[in-house]
Amino acid sequence: MGRPLRIAVAQPRCIAYDVLANAAAHAAAVRAADARVVVFPELSLTGYELDALPVAPSDERLTPIVNACADTGALALVGAPVPGPGIGVLAVDGEGARVAYRKVHLHGREALHFVPGEPAVLDVDGWRLGLAVCRDTGIPEHAAQTAALGIDGYVAGVVHAEDEAELHGERARRVAADHGVWVATAAFAGPTGGGFAQTSGRSGIWSAAGELLAEAGAAPDDLARTVFVRSVR
């Protein structure tokens, strides 16, 4: 039986295109989260700016996040445009960063700037985490293909408008019901690009039974956390 997994969803404030400033905000969130895994929203490192330059895993601007992970033992799942180019998830720990995932189901103008990726899973302390970005969570086929790889949880970073906060829970409960896994969704908070004058916040974590276990508020810099314990079978 694996060790308990403490997971947090964070929604740091974001300055458009300013990777260095945003990395500092991510590092602060990692330190505040007191969690093994900290999940961040879609494109959290640049804002939802589709013309932002890709951030390579070796980019020195990621150093504050690497240092925060080294000090806390955390794994940060950071939203960023990545080489490919793709709308990616950078897995950052105390050793550095790597591209863990690229969004599969691109939406609208995203397809003019990025290429799709493939379903992917991360293994963290014996827990298998399926990865998703925003529109992926609304495509049942994505969760099914990811679950087929063998997962304990489905972890997503999203950008939703202020009036779309209920989408997190609707989609999380569907994934939980269909696949018997818990779901963690980190949602952007505050304004960002792409016409999002205000985003939803309210990042959340749901049990495999679809129960809301923890939820952040609507404002930037908030987070929510919980601890998962593997049941004895």
Side-chain angles (χ1 to χ4, degrees), residues 14 22 40 47 64 75 112 147 184 190 221:
C14 178
N22 295 333
F40 290 94
L75 172 69
L112 301 176
D221 297 328

Short mmCIF file of all heavy atoms in Angstrom, two decimals, residues 14 22 40 47 64 75 112 147 184 190 221:
data_model
loop_
_atom_site.label_atom_id
_atom_site.label_comp_id
_atom_site.label_asym_id
_atom_site.label_seq_id
_atom_site.Cartn_x
_atom_site.Cartn_y
_atom_site.Cartn_z
N CYS A 14 -1.01 36.21 -12.09
CA CYS A 14 -0.20 36.08 -13.29
C CYS A 14 -0.07 37.43 -13.99
O CYS A 14 -1.04 38.17 -14.13
CB CYS A 14 -0.86 35.07 -14.24
SG CYS A 14 0.00 34.83 -15.79
N ASN A 22 6.15 35.41 -12.82
CA ASN A 22 5.19 34.34 -12.57
C ASN A 22 5.85 33.13 -11.92
O ASN A 22 5.23 32.44 -11.09
CB ASN A 22 4.50 33.94 -13.88
CG ASN A 22 3.66 35.08 -14.45
OD1 ASN A 22 3.17 35.93 -13.72
ND2 ASN A 22 3.51 35.10 -15.76
N PHE A 40 -0.98 23.42 -11.14
CA PHE A 40 -1.22 24.81 -11.55
C PHE A 40 -2.10 24.86 -12.79
O PHE A 40 -2.23 23.88 -13.52
CB PHE A 40 0.12 25.50 -11.83
CG PHE A 40 0.94 25.75 -10.60
CD1 PHE A 40 1.90 24.84 -10.19
CD2 PHE A 40 0.73 26.89 -9.82
CE1 PHE A 40 2.66 25.06 -9.05
CE2 PHE A 40 1.47 27.12 -8.68
CZ PHE A 40 2.44 26.20 -8.30
N GLY A 47 0.35 33.18 -18.66
CA GLY A 47 -0.99 33.64 -18.92
C GLY A 47 -1.51 33.00 -20.20
O GLY A 47 -0.74 32.40 -20.98
N PRO A 64 13.51 29.58 -9.53
CA PRO A 64 12.80 29.75 -8.26
C PRO A 64 11.85 28.58 -7.95
O PRO A 64 11.72 28.19 -6.78
CB PRO A 64 12.02 31.05 -8.46
CG PRO A 64 12.80 31.81 -9.48
CD PRO A 64 13.32 30.76 -10.41
N LEU A 75 6.56 18.21 -6.10
CA LEU A 75 6.54 18.15 -7.55
C LEU A 75 5.51 19.17 -8.02
O LEU A 75 4.33 19.07 -7.65
CB LEU A 75 6.15 16.76 -8.05
CG LEU A 75 5.91 16.63 -9.55
CD1 LEU A 75 7.22 16.76 -10.33
CD2 LEU A 75 5.23 15.31 -9.87
N LEU A 112 -3.86 27.10 -34.22
CA LEU A 112 -3.02 27.92 -35.11
C LEU A 112 -1.61 28.07 -34.55
O LEU A 112 -0.68 28.41 -35.30
CB LEU A 112 -3.64 29.30 -35.31
CG LEU A 112 -5.05 29.35 -35.89
CD1 LEU A 112 -5.55 30.79 -35.93
CD2 LEU A 112 -5.07 28.72 -37.28
N ALA A 147 -7.31 6.79 -18.60
CA ALA A 147 -7.59 5.76 -17.60
C ALA A 147 -7.11 4.39 -18.06
O ALA A 147 -6.71 3.55 -17.25
CB ALA A 147 -9.08 5.72 -17.30
N ALA A 184 -8.27 16.34 -9.58
CA ALA A 184 -7.79 17.63 -9.08
C ALA A 184 -7.72 18.60 -10.24
O ALA A 184 -7.08 18.32 -11.26
CB ALA A 184 -6.41 17.47 -8.44
N GLY A 190 -8.28 35.50 -11.77
CA GLY A 190 -7.88 36.82 -12.22
C GLY A 190 -7.98 36.94 -13.73
O GLY A 190 -8.33 36.00 -14.43
N ASP A 221 -3.99 33.76 -5.93
CA ASP A 221 -3.12 33.42 -4.79
C ASP A 221 -3.75 32.45 -3.81
O ASP A 221 -3.11 32.07 -2.83
CB ASP A 221 -2.63 34.66 -4.04
CG ASP A 221 -1.76 35.56 -4.92
OD1 ASP A 221 -1.06 35.01 -5.80
OD2 ASP A 221 -1.80 36.78 -4.73
#
